[in-house]
């Protein structure tokens, strides 16, 4: 059986965009971040191997569930010989991401629950604002904005130089 030429196994950036649903600019961005790779033709055009389709699908699926690109890049780099992820890879990686997502969901629930405290404030200068200053120790003693004196090593606040 004769071998097909290399060029039939490759996609131009436009073809990859059309097949993956990702904008050309997104593909260039993914490439700049090390998520996908291409080779250059003698005319300096990008050519992607067909497995780039699966990598783009993997990246876009991970992004949809809120995984940062840096985490996605690290996951792809962890695969042997930087191969294209398969179903087992997705299952393994998504299990580790599940913990991160659960923590983010908890944070969002806390944010939502505290949001009503700020409605109507506008400047977030309530006596107690868990959103703009969650660990506000001075807020227990004073209200409003205050410029706190800078602490210098070896000098107390009572005796500034």
């Amino acid at each position: 059986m004769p071998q097909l030429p290399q060029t039939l196994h490759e996609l131009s950036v436009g073809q990859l965009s059309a097949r993956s649903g990702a904008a050309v600019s997104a593909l260039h961005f993914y490439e700049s971040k090390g998520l996908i790779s291409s080779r250059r033709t003698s005319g300096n055009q990008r050519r992607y191997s067909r497995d780039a389709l699966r990598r783009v699908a993997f990246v876009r699926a991970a992004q949809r569930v809120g995984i940062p690109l840096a985490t996605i890049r690290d996951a792809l780099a962890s695969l042997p010989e930087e191969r294209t992820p398969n179903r087992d890879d997705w299952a393994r990686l998504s299990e580790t991401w599940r913990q991160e997502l659960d923590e983010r969901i908890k944070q969002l629930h806390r944010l939502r629950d505290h949001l009503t405290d700020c409605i109507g404030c506008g400047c977030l200068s309530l006596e107690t604002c868990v959103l703009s200053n969650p660990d506000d120790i001075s807020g227990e003693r004073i209200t409003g904005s205050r410029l706190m004196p800078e602490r210098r090593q070896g000098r107390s606040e009572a005796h500034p130089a």
Side-chain angles (χ1 to χ4, degrees), residues 22-43:
V24 170
S25 59
L27 297 173
H28 291 169
F29 181 74
Y30 292 164
E31 188 170 358
S32 74
K33 297 299 180 187
L35 299 166
I36 59 175
S37 61
S38 67
R39 74 169 187 87
R40 296 293 184 135
T41 66
S42 58

PDB file of all heavy atoms in Angstrom, residues 22-43:
ATOM      1  N   ALA A  22     -12.135  26.690  16.598  1.00  0.00           N
ATOM      2  CA  ALA A  22     -11.349  27.724  17.281  1.00  0.00           C
ATOM      3  C   ALA A  22     -10.926  28.778  16.264  1.00  0.00           C
ATOM      4  O   ALA A  22     -10.569  28.448  15.133  1.00  0.00           O
ATOM      5  CB  ALA A  22     -10.117  27.110  17.942  1.00  0.00           C
ATOM      6  N   ALA A  23     -10.958  30.022  16.655  1.00  0.00           N
ATOM      7  CA  ALA A  23     -10.531  31.103  15.771  1.00  0.00           C
ATOM      8  C   ALA A  23      -9.044  30.964  15.450  1.00  0.00           C
ATOM      9  O   ALA A  23      -8.273  30.423  16.256  1.00  0.00           O
ATOM     10  CB  ALA A  23     -10.788  32.456  16.427  1.00  0.00           C
ATOM     11  N   VAL A  24      -8.649  31.444  14.289  1.00  0.00           N
ATOM     12  CA  VAL A  24      -7.238  31.415  13.897  1.00  0.00           C
ATOM     13  C   VAL A  24      -6.384  32.114  14.953  1.00  0.00           C
ATOM     14  O   VAL A  24      -5.325  31.615  15.346  1.00  0.00           O
ATOM     15  CB  VAL A  24      -7.036  32.047  12.498  1.00  0.00           C
ATOM     16  CG1 VAL A  24      -5.560  32.244  12.195  1.00  0.00           C
ATOM     17  CG2 VAL A  24      -7.689  31.188  11.430  1.00  0.00           C
ATOM     18  N   SER A  25      -6.865  33.248  15.458  1.00  0.00           N
ATOM     19  CA  SER A  25      -6.104  33.977  16.485  1.00  0.00           C
ATOM     20  C   SER A  25      -5.948  33.135  17.749  1.00  0.00           C
ATOM     21  O   SER A  25      -4.904  33.171  18.403  1.00  0.00           O
ATOM     22  CB  SER A  25      -6.773  35.310  16.815  1.00  0.00           C
ATOM     23  OG  SER A  25      -8.103  35.109  17.276  1.00  0.00           O
ATOM     24  N   ALA A  26      -6.971  32.354  18.092  1.00  0.00           N
ATOM     25  CA  ALA A  26      -6.882  31.474  19.262  1.00  0.00           C
ATOM     26  C   ALA A  26      -5.832  30.392  19.024  1.00  0.00           C
ATOM     27  O   ALA A  26      -5.050  30.068  19.934  1.00  0.00           O
ATOM     28  CB  ALA A  26      -8.232  30.849  19.570  1.00  0.00           C
ATOM     29  N   LEU A  27      -5.786  29.848  17.817  1.00  0.00           N
ATOM     30  CA  LEU A  27      -4.794  28.826  17.498  1.00  0.00           C
ATOM     31  C   LEU A  27      -3.381  29.389  17.582  1.00  0.00           C
ATOM     32  O   LEU A  27      -2.478  28.742  18.117  1.00  0.00           O
ATOM     33  CB  LEU A  27      -5.062  28.231  16.114  1.00  0.00           C
ATOM     34  CG  LEU A  27      -6.396  27.495  15.981  1.00  0.00           C
ATOM     35  CD1 LEU A  27      -6.648  27.097  14.533  1.00  0.00           C
ATOM     36  CD2 LEU A  27      -6.453  26.293  16.905  1.00  0.00           C
ATOM     37  N   HIS A  28      -3.191  30.589  17.089  1.00  0.00           N
ATOM     38  CA  HIS A  28      -1.874  31.232  17.195  1.00  0.00           C
ATOM     39  C   HIS A  28      -1.522  31.446  18.658  1.00  0.00           C
ATOM     40  O   HIS A  28      -0.368  31.229  19.069  1.00  0.00           O
ATOM     41  CB  HIS A  28      -1.863  32.567  16.455  1.00  0.00           C
ATOM     42  CG  HIS A  28      -1.940  32.436  14.970  1.00  0.00           C
ATOM     43  ND1 HIS A  28      -2.168  33.508  14.151  1.00  0.00           N
ATOM     44  CD2 HIS A  28      -1.830  31.366  14.149  1.00  0.00           C
ATOM     45  CE1 HIS A  28      -2.176  33.108  12.892  1.00  0.00           C
ATOM     46  NE2 HIS A  28      -1.983  31.813  12.871  1.00  0.00           N
ATOM     47  N   PHE A  29      -2.510  31.860  19.456  1.00  0.00           N
ATOM     48  CA  PHE A  29      -2.286  32.057  20.886  1.00  0.00           C
ATOM     49  C   PHE A  29      -1.933  30.734  21.566  1.00  0.00           C
ATOM     50  O   PHE A  29      -0.988  30.661  22.343  1.00  0.00           O
ATOM     51  CB  PHE A  29      -3.529  32.677  21.523  1.00  0.00           C
ATOM     52  CG  PHE A  29      -3.376  32.946  22.991  1.00  0.00           C
ATOM     53  CD1 PHE A  29      -2.601  34.006  23.443  1.00  0.00           C
ATOM     54  CD2 PHE A  29      -4.007  32.143  23.916  1.00  0.00           C
ATOM     55  CE1 PHE A  29      -2.458  34.254  24.800  1.00  0.00           C
ATOM     56  CE2 PHE A  29      -3.873  32.386  25.273  1.00  0.00           C
ATOM     57  CZ  PHE A  29      -3.094  33.444  25.715  1.00  0.00           C
ATOM     58  N   TYR A  30      -2.683  29.668  21.271  1.00  0.00           N
ATOM     59  CA  TYR A  30      -2.385  28.351  21.836  1.00  0.00           C
ATOM     60  C   TYR A  30      -0.962  27.922  21.489  1.00  0.00           C
ATOM     61  O   TYR A  30      -0.241  27.370  22.315  1.00  0.00           O
ATOM     62  CB  TYR A  30      -3.353  27.286  21.320  1.00  0.00           C
ATOM     63  CG  TYR A  30      -4.787  27.416  21.778  1.00  0.00           C
ATOM     64  CD1 TYR A  30      -5.787  26.719  21.125  1.00  0.00           C
ATOM     65  CD2 TYR A  30      -5.162  28.227  22.848  1.00  0.00           C
ATOM     66  CE1 TYR A  30      -7.112  26.810  21.521  1.00  0.00           C
ATOM     67  CE2 TYR A  30      -6.487  28.317  23.252  1.00  0.00           C
ATOM     68  CZ  TYR A  30      -7.454  27.611  22.589  1.00  0.00           C
ATOM     69  OH  TYR A  30      -8.763  27.693  22.980  1.00  0.00           O
ATOM     70  N   GLU A  31      -0.573  28.197  20.269  1.00  0.00           N
ATOM     71  CA  GLU A  31       0.777  27.824  19.849  1.00  0.00           C
ATOM     72  C   GLU A  31       1.822  28.637  20.607  1.00  0.00           C
ATOM     73  O   GLU A  31       2.834  28.107  21.052  1.00  0.00           O
ATOM     74  CB  GLU A  31       0.935  28.010  18.341  1.00  0.00           C
ATOM     75  CG  GLU A  31       2.240  27.457  17.825  1.00  0.00           C
ATOM     76  CD  GLU A  31       2.318  27.414  16.314  1.00  0.00           C
ATOM     77  OE1 GLU A  31       1.344  27.775  15.629  1.00  0.00           O
ATOM     78  OE2 GLU A  31       3.391  27.021  15.814  1.00  0.00           O
ATOM     79  N   SER A  32       1.557  29.933  20.803  1.00  0.00           N
ATOM     80  CA  SER A  32       2.515  30.778  21.538  1.00  0.00           C
ATOM     81  C   SER A  32       2.646  30.334  22.991  1.00  0.00           C
ATOM     82  O   SER A  32       3.678  30.558  23.614  1.00  0.00           O
ATOM     83  CB  SER A  32       2.095  32.251  21.477  1.00  0.00           C
ATOM     84  OG  SER A  32       0.984  32.504  22.320  1.00  0.00           O
ATOM     85  N   LYS A  33       1.612  29.686  23.528  1.00  0.00           N
ATOM     86  CA  LYS A  33       1.625  29.200  24.913  1.00  0.00           C
ATOM     87  C   LYS A  33       2.103  27.756  25.026  1.00  0.00           C
ATOM     88  O   LYS A  33       2.127  27.193  26.114  1.00  0.00           O
ATOM     89  CB  LYS A  33       0.229  29.332  25.548  1.00  0.00           C
ATOM     90  CG  LYS A  33      -0.249  30.754  25.667  1.00  0.00           C
ATOM     91  CD  LYS A  33       0.687  31.565  26.543  1.00  0.00           C
ATOM     92  CE  LYS A  33       0.241  32.991  26.680  1.00  0.00           C
ATOM     93  NZ  LYS A  33       1.206  33.819  27.375  1.00  0.00           N
ATOM     94  N   GLY A  34       2.455  27.148  23.903  1.00  0.00           N
ATOM     95  CA  GLY A  34       2.985  25.787  23.938  1.00  0.00           C
ATOM     96  C   GLY A  34       1.925  24.702  24.048  1.00  0.00           C
ATOM     97  O   GLY A  34       2.236  23.572  24.406  1.00  0.00           O
ATOM     98  N   LEU A  35       0.685  25.022  23.729  1.00  0.00           N
ATOM     99  CA  LEU A  35      -0.392  24.037  23.818  1.00  0.00           C
ATOM    100  C   LEU A  35      -0.488  23.179  22.567  1.00  0.00           C
ATOM    101  O   LEU A  35      -0.899  22.015  22.623  1.00  0.00           O
ATOM    102  CB  LEU A  35      -1.726  24.746  24.062  1.00  0.00           C
ATOM    103  CG  LEU A  35      -1.786  25.551  25.361  1.00  0.00           C
ATOM    104  CD1 LEU A  35      -2.983  26.485  25.359  1.00  0.00           C
ATOM    105  CD2 LEU A  35      -1.822  24.627  26.557  1.00  0.00           C
ATOM    106  N   ILE A  36      -0.155  23.762  21.427  1.00  0.00           N
ATOM    107  CA  ILE A  36      -0.103  23.040  20.158  1.00  0.00           C
ATOM    108  C   ILE A  36       1.182  23.470  19.457  1.00  0.00           C
ATOM    109  O   ILE A  36       1.796  24.476  19.839  1.00  0.00           O
ATOM    110  CB  ILE A  36      -1.333  23.310  19.252  1.00  0.00           C
ATOM    111  CG1 ILE A  36      -1.458  24.799  18.917  1.00  0.00           C
ATOM    112  CG2 ILE A  36      -2.603  22.769  19.894  1.00  0.00           C
ATOM    113  CD1 ILE A  36      -2.584  25.122  17.923  1.00  0.00           C
ATOM    114  N   SER A  37       1.560  22.717  18.447  1.00  0.00           N
ATOM    115  CA  SER A  37       2.777  23.095  17.707  1.00  0.00           C
ATOM    116  C   SER A  37       2.543  22.881  16.216  1.00  0.00           C
ATOM    117  O   SER A  37       1.653  22.141  15.810  1.00  0.00           O
ATOM    118  CB  SER A  37       3.974  22.279  18.182  1.00  0.00           C
ATOM    119  OG  SER A  37       3.741  20.905  17.960  1.00  0.00           O
ATOM    120  N   SER A  38       3.353  23.558  15.439  1.00  0.00           N
ATOM    121  CA  SER A  38       3.262  23.441  13.984  1.00  0.00           C
ATOM    122  C   SER A  38       4.671  23.409  13.418  1.00  0.00           C
ATOM    123  O   SER A  38       5.630  23.707  14.111  1.00  0.00           O
ATOM    124  CB  SER A  38       2.490  24.629  13.399  1.00  0.00           C
ATOM    125  OG  SER A  38       3.224  25.827  13.576  1.00  0.00           O
ATOM    126  N   ARG A  39       4.733  23.065  12.186  1.00  0.00           N
ATOM    127  CA  ARG A  39       5.991  23.211  11.455  1.00  0.00           C
ATOM    128  C   ARG A  39       5.760  24.293  10.421  1.00  0.00           C
ATOM    129  O   ARG A  39       4.622  24.634  10.106  1.00  0.00           O
ATOM    130  CB  ARG A  39       6.432  21.888  10.820  1.00  0.00           C
ATOM    131  CG  ARG A  39       5.639  21.481   9.619  1.00  0.00           C
ATOM    132  CD  ARG A  39       6.265  20.311   8.859  1.00  0.00           C
ATOM    133  NE  ARG A  39       5.533  20.081   7.627  1.00  0.00           N
ATOM    134  CZ  ARG A  39       5.773  20.690   6.471  1.00  0.00           C
ATOM    135  NH1 ARG A  39       6.754  21.564   6.364  1.00  0.00           N
ATOM    136  NH2 ARG A  39       5.044  20.424   5.392  1.00  0.00           N
ATOM    137  N   ARG A  40       6.821  24.838   9.888  1.00  0.00           N
ATOM    138  CA  ARG A  40       6.704  25.886   8.863  1.00  0.00           C
ATOM    139  C   ARG A  40       7.102  25.312   7.520  1.00  0.00           C
ATOM    140  O   ARG A  40       8.074  24.571   7.399  1.00  0.00           O
ATOM    141  CB  ARG A  40       7.616  27.071   9.199  1.00  0.00           C
ATOM    142  CG  ARG A  40       7.268  27.808  10.473  1.00  0.00           C
ATOM    143  CD  ARG A  40       5.933  28.515  10.337  1.00  0.00           C
ATOM    144  NE  ARG A  40       5.637  29.294  11.523  1.00  0.00           N
ATOM    145  CZ  ARG A  40       5.182  30.515  11.511  1.00  0.00           C
ATOM    146  NH1 ARG A  40       4.946  31.131  10.368  1.00  0.00           N
ATOM    147  NH2 ARG A  40       4.919  31.145  12.625  1.00  0.00           N
ATOM    148  N   THR A  41       6.340  25.685   6.505  1.00  0.00           N
ATOM    149  CA  THR A  41       6.666  25.270   5.141  1.00  0.00           C
ATOM    150  C   THR A  41       7.787  26.167   4.624  1.00  0.00           C
ATOM    151  O   THR A  41       8.166  27.149   5.271  1.00  0.00           O
ATOM    152  CB  THR A  41       5.444  25.407   4.214  1.00  0.00           C
ATOM    153  OG1 THR A  41       5.119  26.796   4.084  1.00  0.00           O
ATOM    154  CG2 THR A  41       4.255  24.623   4.735  1.00  0.00           C
ATOM    155  N   SER A  42       8.265  25.869   3.442  1.00  0.00           N
ATOM    156  CA  SER A  42       9.300  26.709   2.833  1.00  0.00           C
ATOM    157  C   SER A  42       8.768  28.116   2.583  1.00  0.00           C
ATOM    158  O   SER A  42       9.528  29.073   2.539  1.00  0.00           O
ATOM    159  CB  SER A  42       9.805  26.095   1.525  1.00  0.00           C
ATOM    160  OG  SER A  42       8.723  25.927   0.627  1.00  0.00           O
ATOM    161  N   GLY A  43       7.446  28.264   2.467  1.00  0.00           N
ATOM    162  CA  GLY A  43       6.815  29.577   2.299  1.00  0.00           C
ATOM    163  C   GLY A  43       6.436  30.203   3.637  1.00  0.00           C
ATOM    164  O   GLY A  43       5.685  31.167   3.679  1.00  0.00           O
TER     165      GLY A  43
END
